[in-house]
Amino acid sequence: MSEPHPEYPHLLSPLQVGSVTLPNRVLMGSMHVGLEDDLGPLKKMGAYFARRAEGGVGLLVTGGIAPNIDGQAKPFAGKLTNRLEAWRHRYVTGPVHDAGGLIAMQILHTGRYAYHPLAVAPTAIKSPISMFKPRKLSGRGVERTIKAFVRCGRLAQQAGYDGVEVMGSEGYLINEFLVEKTNKRQDEWGGDYDKRMRLPVEIVRRMREEVGPDFIIIYRLSMLDLVKNGSSWEQIVALAKAIEAAGASIINTGIGWHEARVPTIATMVPRAAYTWVTARLKGEVSVPLVTSNRINMPTTAEEVLARGDADIISMARPLLADPDWVIKAQQGRTREINTCIACNQACLDHIFQNKRASCLVNPLACYETEVTIQPATTKKKVAVIGAGPAGLSAATTAAERGHHVDLFDGSDAIGGQFNMARRIPGKEEFDETIRYFTVRLETTGVHVHLNTRVSADDLIGKGYDEVIIATGVHPRRIDLPGIDHDKVLSYIDVLAGGAEVGKEVAIIGAGGIGFDVAEFLCHDPEHTSSSLDVDAYLDEWGVDRDMDAPGGLKKAEMPPPARSITMCQRRDGKLGRNLGKTTGWIHRASLKKRGVTMLGGVSYLKVDDVGLHVEVNGTPQVIACDHVVVCAGQIPARELEAPLRASGLSVHLIGGADEAAELDAKRAIDQGTRLAARL
């Protein structure tokens, strides 16, 4: 690798950790992707991590591997308890080392978060995110658990790992022992804090004795629990010092328990919003400190390190999005980075649905052995109609393979529906995807034709071997008396057309678009979004920088909403039920904090000068409002399909033109990439 780029002197400088030299300050943080649970040799997992090692990551950390059956996240999840399982992990460490990388394995005992009936905890208190109530570990059970951690560390060393990370945060077993909220014991493992912190200290101390001085031991310490009755700052400092004395090589920052009701990694969280937590621990210990959460571009990472908040930057999803993140920073090619937008749609949402993880902006992630972009054996002339996410991914992938690609779009800019999405407060990161594809169009040589609304006649007879229709969707028009009233707007009028919207608003439809429109209209455009301002974000969600209360929570301070909004849906039940698995609750909570009224079981009657007339569970009601915004779904825009097929052209539908149930960028980019990869 060449000399560090002068723009990132801290980020790209080496760091000595014991006898090991990390080539830079980038750590790929632990993230479960589902490949850990494969049966047999872990070849797919090895290819996944080797690809990131090739990209220059300083130190990789795997997703959590259980030290025993009790600690598994779910039945048959990844564990390391014997030599056979250690042999399977050789298919991970071997490829990583061949690629010149370093890799540690995270040891994770899920405790009361486990999704199986063998769950254990310090006290038999059920968690709010698992249906299984854990059994209380006996004193002997605690000892067996410590031995399981130590055995797991030894086996990881035998499997060729350069180190391990002991997972002591996020509300998992070790974290549960630390706080009175989940540890009601009165034996040698509970009671005062010295006893409650014995478990992690004993695990690290005994593991260090077992693996020797040169093996890296990272301890993931929960520095901000974000739950009531969590750890105090004094306790966190005491634990950090004890963990260092026990033999840890590095201390990593954990933010928030999984049951916390404060967003920590979603896209509406500002970049580097939690590095101040790690900075508080600087000077209390001498081992390198890792900071994490919403650091996705080199400039942000460099700023964090330059001001001394930490010694190492942890990123997981950004390296899922772009495995060459480090090399691109090294070579001054930052504009080419495929930036993580923190949407969670293809990574965490997949994992919580028992699916393999991937990435919305990089659908090749975790499919390194199955989908590859190879030079085309036969070069074709390809027309792509529509420069939204689907069309952009198809056009750039096809051009990368050597095809001649013409990309047509009727607007004056690329991006399609992303140009509306990026206007939503909390979705500013979508700008990065448009920037990335702008550069990709240049580097792959796509011939871009904007302000060009093509007809079938424009394409027929022009020598195209393949035509890809990525024309997106049309808003669905609903049949409702008064639908042509002046106060009725579509979501496109609001998000793209710049329509003036009054102070009282009714929204028809409570899918993803309805929630986006509500979020957009709630915010005062004269004030900076809390997704861009760390202090405003912390105030809105009740996070205490001073950490006066154990757990780091305070009373939330929400600014007044810009409008009074009522959201309606035909279906009974909770609004936003089909929003993202890991982010839906955030969207609902954000709108409720801003006073949005949410109505289910609504029948729409008419719109008139007064407002929207409805029945709610059979009871007539008038929602007095200045405007009614219709977010009632979409239909595919595929008018070109029939005449093109009739002419004999090879036609493909992708994105919204293929399926318009929701504006699904994940599916659109995946379809475009996979189609172009096989043309």
Side-chain angles (χ1 to χ4, degrees):
M1 188 175 283
S2 59
E3 288 299 311
H5 190 273
E7 195 172 345
Y8 312 114
H10 297 85
L11 179 67
L12 299 173
S13 65
L15 177 67
Q16 194 71 27
V17 180
S19 62
V20 178
T21 301
L22 306 185
N24 53 62
R25 305 302 179 96
V26 178
L27 177 146
M28 183 171 185
S30 175
M31 180 177 183
H32 198 81
V33 295
L35 300 176
E36 306 89 346
D37 306 331
D38 284 354
L39 300 175
L42 298 174
K43 294 181 179 180
K44 292 178 181 178
M45 182 176 165
Y48 164 73
F49 280 112
R51 180 68 186 84
R52 275 85 196 151
E54 291 169 1
V57 177
L59 177 62
L60 302 150
V61 182
T62 72
I65 305 295
N68 56 19
I69 293 176
D70 294 349
Q72 288 179 297
K74 60 184 179 181
F76 309 109
K79 66 181 179 68
L80 181 53
T81 61
N82 56 56
R83 291 182 180 179
L84 175 61
E85 291 168 344
W87 167 79
R88 295 171 60 232
H89 281 266
R90 283 280 179 184
Y91 288 87
V92 177
T93 58
V96 168
H97 292 151
D98 290 344
L102 298 167
I103 186 166
M105 188 194 82
Q106 187 187 78
I107 306 177
L108 166 65
H109 192 301
T110 52
R112 72 181 192 142
Y113 283 168
Y115 280 81
H116 58 72
L118 300 179
V120 297
T123 306
I125 301 173
K126 184 178 177 297
S127 88
I129 63 173
S130 174
M131 67 180 71
F132 299 98
K133 183 177 180 179
R135 62 179 173 83
K136 176 184 174 180
L137 275 172
S138 65
R140 289 184 179 180
V142 175
E143 281 290 343
R144 286 194 297 269
T145 300
I146 295 171
K147 291 176 181 177
F149 269 90
V150 173
R151 177 187 62 203
C152 192
R154 180 180 67 249
L155 289 169
Q157 187 178 40
Q158 293 171 1
Y161 284 102
D162 302 288
V164 294
E165 177 174 76
V166 176
M167 180 48 146
S169 68
E170 266 76 5
Y172 291 118
L173 181 77
I174 292 175
N175 212 169
E176 292 161 17
F177 267 86
L178 292 171
V179 302
E180 291 180 301
K181 170 186 173 71
T182 46
N183 185 348
K184 307 294 186 182
R185 306 171 72 100
Q186 293 301 320
D187 61 2
E188 64 269 36
W189 306 105
D192 62 36
Y193 190 70
D194 286 343
K195 292 180 179 179
R196 297 202 306 274
M197 74 175 189
R198 277 192 66 207
L199 178 67
V201 173
E202 284 298 300
I203 287 171
V204 173
R205 184 183 64 79
R206 297 187 203 181
M207 188 179 294
R208 175 56 73 200
E209 292 174 354
E210 183 70 24
V211 299
D214 297 327
F215 194 63
I216 295 172
I217 297 179
I218 307 166
Y219 183 80
R220 181 78 168 266
L221 194 156
S222 184
M223 296 189 197
L224 182 63
D225 291 335
L226 297 178
V227 293
K228 290 183 179 180
N229 302 317
S231 295
S232 68
W233 183 249
E234 292 74 18
Q235 292 169 341
I236 291 164
V237 171
L239 177 59
K241 291 180 176 180
I243 289 295
E244 178 182 27
S249 316
I250 297 170
I251 292 178
N252 196 356
T253 301
I255 300 291
W257 288 33
H258 285 311
E259 64 199 74
R261 295 292 89 182
V262 177
T264 56
I265 57 174
T267 190
M268 69 286 296
V269 179
R271 291 186 183 183
Y274 290 101
T275 64
W276 56 271
V277 181
T278 314
R280 285 183 63 119
L281 196 60
K282 290 283 284 185
E284 300 285 359
V285 293
S286 58
V287 295
L289 295 178
V290 182
T291 198
S292 65
N293 289 45
R294 289 290 287 119
I295 302 169
N296 61 352
M297 287 296 279
T299 300
T300 304
E302 178 66 23
E303 289 171 354
V304 169
L305 294 173
R307 66 175 177 250
D309 286 1
D311 305 292
I312 304 171
I313 300 293
S314 173
M315 298 180 294
R317 295 170 302 166
L319 297 166
L320 203 66
D322 195 331
D324 292 322
W325 194 99
V326 176
I327 282 182
K328 289 176 180 177
Q330 182 93 26
Q331 297 175 351
R333 297 161 51 211
T334 303
R335 290 183 68 245
E336 296 180 37
I337 289 177
N338 193 3
T339 306
C340 167
I341 61 175
C343 66
N344 291 354
Q345 291 180 33
C347 50
L348 295 179
D349 284 359
H350 276 207
I351 290 303
F352 280 94
Q353 295 166 0
N354 266 332
K355 298 177 183 177
R356 188 195 311 188
S358 189
C359 177
L360 182 146
V361 298
N362 176 26
L364 302 181
C366 298
Y367 289 88
E368 287 77 11
T369 63
E370 297 160 62
V371 183
T372 57
I373 309 302
Q374 300 292 339
T377 53
T378 302
K379 305 297 172 65
K380 295 182 176 181
K381 186 177 181 182
V382 180
V384 180
I385 320 302
L392 290 168
S393 61
T396 54
T397 303
E400 181 183 353
R401 297 185 60 221
H403 295 303
H404 175 100
V405 180
D406 287 310
L407 174 64
F408 302 93
D409 197 280
S411 70
D412 60 0
I414 69 167
Q417 302 284 350
F418 264 33
N419 285 312
M420 289 190 290
R422 65 178 178 164
R423 297 195 65 201
I424 311 302
K427 290 191 173 182
E428 292 86 358
E429 292 287 12
F430 284 57
D431 281 336
E432 298 286 6
T433 303
I434 294 176
R435 180 265 310 153
Y436 167 73
F437 274 118
T438 299
V439 177
R440 279 274 287 167
L441 292 171
E442 298 169 1
T443 58
T444 59
V446 174
H447 302 273
V448 181
H449 310 274
L450 297 177
N451 295 305
T452 306
R453 194 171 297 279
V454 294
S455 66
D457 290 340
D458 295 326
L459 301 170
I460 295 169
K462 299 301 190 295
Y464 288 110
D465 300 293
E466 310 281 350
V467 178
I468 300 173
I469 298 177
T471 42
V473 299
H474 300 304
R476 185 185 302 279
R477 180 178 172 83
I478 62 174
D479 185 14
L480 179 67
I483 195 65
D484 293 319
H485 196 286
D486 288 344
K487 67 172 55 185
V488 177
L489 303 170
S490 76
Y491 67 87
I492 292 180
D493 295 328
V494 175
L495 298 179
E500 292 287 334
V501 182
K503 291 293 186 180
E504 305 284 334
V505 181
I507 297 176
I508 295 177
I513 299 171
F515 269 80
D516 277 354
V517 169
E519 194 75 45
F520 177 78
L521 294 176
C522 274
H523 284 74
D524 186 339
E526 295 184 3
H527 293 86
T528 303
S529 169
S530 62
S531 60
L532 300 174
D533 185 310
V534 173
D535 287 333
Y537 158 78
L538 297 175
D539 287 341
E540 284 190 18
W541 288 95
V543 180
D544 182 13
R545 268 188 183 271
D546 296 325
M547 298 183 69
D548 290 330
L553 295 176
K554 67 174 185 177
K555 184 178 179 181
E557 301 172 25
M558 181 65 64
R563 293 175 176 85
S564 174
I565 297 173
T566 301
M567 293 181 68
C568 308
Q569 71 174 20
R570 293 185 184 277
R571 189 171 51 204
D572 279 324
K574 182 169 62 177
L575 273 66
R577 185 170 58 188
N578 294 327
L579 297 177
K581 182 77 173 176
T582 60
T583 56
W585 71 268
I586 302 173
H587 297 302
R588 287 188 292 271
S590 176
L591 294 185
K592 287 180 179 178
K593 285 172 180 284
R594 289 176 165 81
V596 173
T597 300
M598 300 186 184
L599 301 178
V602 175
S603 297
Y604 305 109
L605 303 179
K606 67 177 181 178
V607 178
D608 62 14
D609 292 342
V610 177
L612 177 62
H613 295 250
V614 299
E615 283 187 359
V616 181
N617 296 317
T619 302
Q621 183 174 330
V622 179
I623 303 172
C625 58
D626 302 307
H627 286 98
V628 177
V629 183
V630 180
C631 308
Q634 306 77 232
I635 58 173
R638 55 172 76 148
E639 293 83 359
L640 288 172
E641 180 189 14
L644 291 175
R645 289 196 190 279
S647 73
L649 280 171
S650 176
V651 177
H652 310 270
L653 294 173
I654 60 174
D658 175 49
E659 183 180 342
E662 275 286 351
L663 296 183
D664 189 346
K666 177 183 70 173
R667 175 174 50 79
I669 294 175
D670 183 73
Q671 279 186 321
T673 302
R674 288 174 182 263
L675 170 62
R678 65 177 185 267
L679 284 181

